[in-house]
Amino acid sequence: MLEKIFNRTDVKKILVDTITQSKLIEKEIPNTICGEKMQQEQYCLYLVIDAIIKYFIIVDDENNFDDYLDQLKQIVKKIKIHNDLVMAVNRLLVKFVQKKLNITNLNNKDQTKKIITYFYNKYIQEGYLFYVLPNYFYDEGKCLDMEKYNSYEMIEKQVSDILDKYKIENPLSNKKEDFNNKVKITDSAFMMGFYAYNSPELLYQLGYNLIRKNSKKDHENSHFFFREYYTCLNNLDNILRKKEIPLADKNRILEIFKSEWKKEKLVSDSLMVTFVKRKMVNKDNLDDYQKILDSNLTLDEAIHYILDIRYDEYISIDNITKDFCINLPNINDLMDRDVEENIQEETLNINNSYGSATILAIIGLILIALGVILTIIMMGR
């Protein structure tokens, strides 16, 4: 059902609006969420994806989805602040659960407990975690090809080792301790959207995060987000050159970036998201759930607590089994945006000038030394 929903014209329209309409873009948002730098221009895209997925996990009623989507549009148009947006979406979900359960009185404690219990059962006990991997890693049956994924992780480790070797701030450092079938898994559909539209991770780290972390000025993510190959590659080349990485290692990173980009077919592929039952990783209960029911928390506070992000970390993919997968639409397809897929390497001017500059500097020093020696010889005469 979910994949069919993301293929609907009206859903695609609101996804496009989230990154094109100023009313939806101009929000007051946290600088980072789960440690990831958030771009204001993309925030509402992930918020809407999160709200749609939560609807089908919790409410699970396609008949009333049109009404839900219309009200969700109004929320993202009118509300400007992150916390208020999160609370408004939670209240919208409560409204549709209330309708589904035929509950009429939210001032009745027993009635609100039914809603809280329903959310807990649907979202926690029967809910999902998510991880994102490019379609390249799946065979026709959508089963993970471990040989391809192991090869990919070896390449990640090569890049990480080079960055550490020259003491460059390493955006792969969260994973570098163990490149052993590790994948980022989260209980947040918001973060799942972020990881999907900034995947695969290695290319996101090289095409944006490495540049941002090692630049003196703020660096936006639009080039990688829109899969602008040449700009990303040139930006990567520039930052590696400024960090004075020796030519062989610099070009090794660039070659990895180029070959992985071609391999993943970033422009044409849709984005595969894998749903994993919470119980697969023992995340299907809250220790203090009974305390929530027995407390004096408001309904808003209790629902916010249940839906809050708790889990966002690397985990061995060997320990999890997928329940199902969906594809999110490619961003350039959504926007009907043309991107050149046939990459012509000869048109790309990789700047290796710092190697020439070093040679000229050495020659200059030699000439100066010769001049000093000749002067001393002449004075001796």
Side-chain angles (χ1 to χ4, degrees), residues 60-251:
D60 193 23
D61 182 359
E62 193 171 2
N63 293 329
N64 287 308
F65 178 70
D66 290 351
D67 187 19
Y68 178 83
L69 189 64
D70 287 341
Q71 294 186 51
L72 178 60
K73 289 177 189 176
Q74 296 307 310
I75 287 171
V76 294
K77 282 181 181 178
K78 292 178 179 178
I79 300 177
K80 299 289 186 182
I81 300 171
H82 166 73
N83 288 339
D84 295 342
L85 280 161
V86 171
M87 189 61 70
V89 172
N90 290 351
R91 286 173 177 167
L92 184 61
L93 288 166
V94 167
K95 179 179 177 180
F96 280 81
V97 168
Q98 181 185 355
K99 181 178 180 180
K100 183 169 185 173
L101 299 180
N102 294 316
I103 290 174
T104 57
N105 184 7
L106 292 182
N107 293 318
N108 182 293
K109 185 68 174 177
D110 290 335
Q111 298 291 290
T112 58
K113 278 187 176 182
K114 285 183 180 179
I115 292 176
I116 294 169
T117 300
Y118 180 89
F119 268 84
Y120 179 73
N121 290 341
K122 284 289 190 177
Y123 193 73
I124 301 296
Q125 293 188 310
E126 300 173 18
Y128 297 91
L129 303 175
F130 318 96
Y131 70 86
V132 178
L133 288 175
N135 289 1
Y136 169 74
F137 294 119
Y138 292 85
D139 62 21
E140 292 183 1
K142 292 189 176 181
C143 294
L144 191 64
D145 187 322
M146 291 309 301
E147 184 177 348
K148 287 180 179 178
Y149 192 66
N150 289 336
S151 175
Y152 171 78
E153 287 198 312
M154 288 177 63
I155 292 170
E156 279 187 315
K157 188 175 187 307
Q158 287 180 37
V159 172
S160 185
D161 288 345
I162 292 173
L163 297 177
D164 287 344
K165 180 179 174 182
Y166 300 107
K167 295 180 170 52
I168 294 170
E169 188 166 356
N170 183 358
L172 292 166
S173 59
N174 289 336
K175 194 179 181 184
K176 70 177 182 177
E177 297 301 327
D178 184 4
F179 288 91
N180 185 20
N181 297 348
K182 289 291 183 76
V183 65
K184 178 65 81 69
I185 192 164
T186 180
D187 63 356
S188 164
F190 180 98
M191 292 309 301
M192 175 271 287
F194 173 87
Y195 296 133
Y197 284 99
N198 292 285
S199 71
E201 182 180 16
L202 175 59
L203 292 181
Y204 165 71
Q205 302 295 3
L206 291 178
Y208 167 66
N209 226 9
L210 175 69
I211 299 161
R212 178 182 70 85
K213 285 178 175 290
N214 290 279
S215 296
K216 292 181 179 178
K217 61 181 181 179
D218 191 30
H219 185 78
E220 294 186 355
N221 186 22
S222 59
H223 299 307
F224 184 78
F225 181 73
F226 289 115
R227 305 306 198 243
E228 295 170 356
Y229 170 78
Y230 294 110
T231 304
C232 291
L233 185 56
N234 273 315
N235 287 341
L236 176 60
D237 175 56
N238 288 336
I239 200 68
L240 295 177
R241 183 164 47 85
K242 287 177 182 177
K243 290 295 179 180
E244 298 184 345
I245 294 181
L247 195 59
D249 283 336
K250 183 194 80 145
N251 285 344

Side-chain angles (χ1 to χ4, degrees), residues 17-27 40 76-77 80:
D17 289 347
T18 61
I19 52 178
T20 57
Q21 290 192 6
S22 59
K23 283 185 178 181
L24 278 67
I25 291 172
E26 295 168 357
K27 308 294 184 187
Q40 191 182 49
V76 294
K77 282 181 181 178
K80 299 289 186 182

Side-chain angles (χ1 to χ4, degrees), residues 203 227-234 254-268 339-350:
L203 292 181
R227 305 306 198 243
E228 295 170 356
Y229 170 78
Y230 294 110
T231 304
C232 291
L233 185 56
N234 273 315
L254 295 176
E255 286 302 321
I256 286 172
F257 184 87
K258 290 186 281 188
S259 64
E260 288 300 305
W261 191 291
K262 287 180 179 179
K263 193 187 297 179
E264 309 298 355
K265 298 182 293 182
L266 282 182
V267 173
S268 59
V339 178
E340 179 58 57
E341 291 193 51
N342 297 317
I343 298 169
Q344 304 296 325
E345 294 300 342
E346 64 271 15
T347 66
L348 185 65
N349 181 26
I350 295 298

